[in-house]
Amino acid sequence: MLVAFSVAPSGTGRVDGSVHDAVAAAVRIVRESGLPNHTDSMFTTIEGDWPEVFEVIRRATEAVGEYGSRVSLVLKADIRPGFSGEMTGKIERLEQALGES
């Protein structure tokens, strides 16, 4: 499965409203997990099976919680049993389709 998630604290008390330190704490946990992952400006996507993916997301969410009084978590999942390597496979198929136009 692929899960794209965004996690951010609120109630940080920071005047500038920045959450980059909290997001860095979450991304660090994802990267240290060893699971395939990709972070862009809006989401971090992680690939694995249910238990391992959601354990990493739980730990990342708890890490962000240290930076504020509340946490916002957004998830989007692509559940396709029997498939792996889809983080890159989907992009490869898209690029191939674009080349055939």
Side-chain angles (χ1 to χ4, degrees), residues 42-61:
M42 296 290 294
F43 288 92
T44 293
T45 303
I46 187 168
E47 184 170 16
D49 63 25
W50 281 93
E52 60 190 3
V53 167
F54 281 96
E55 174 63 15
V56 172
I57 293 171
R58 181 191 63 77
R59 291 178 46 233
T61 302

Side-chain angles (χ1 to χ4, degrees), residues 20-76:
H20 67 273
D21 292 333
V23 172
V27 171
R28 187 172 295 111
I29 288 169
V30 171
R31 290 182 179 175
E32 289 173 355
S33 76
L35 295 175
N37 65 84
H38 172 78
T39 299
D40 61 35
S41 61
M42 296 290 294
F43 288 92
T44 293
T45 303
I46 187 168
E47 184 170 16
D49 63 25
W50 281 93
E52 60 190 3
V53 167
F54 281 96
E55 174 63 15
V56 172
I57 293 171
R58 181 191 63 77
R59 291 178 46 233
T61 302
E62 289 174 351
V64 166
E66 298 294 320
Y67 290 83
S69 58
R70 298 177 84 163
V71 176
S72 171
L73 174 63
V74 176
L75 300 166
K76 181 176 181 179

Side-chain angles (χ1 to χ4, degrees), residues 9-19 22 64-70:
S10 60
T12 64
R14 289 184 63 145
V15 176
D16 66 357
S18 178
V19 296
V64 166
E66 298 294 320
Y67 290 83
S69 58
R70 298 177 84 163

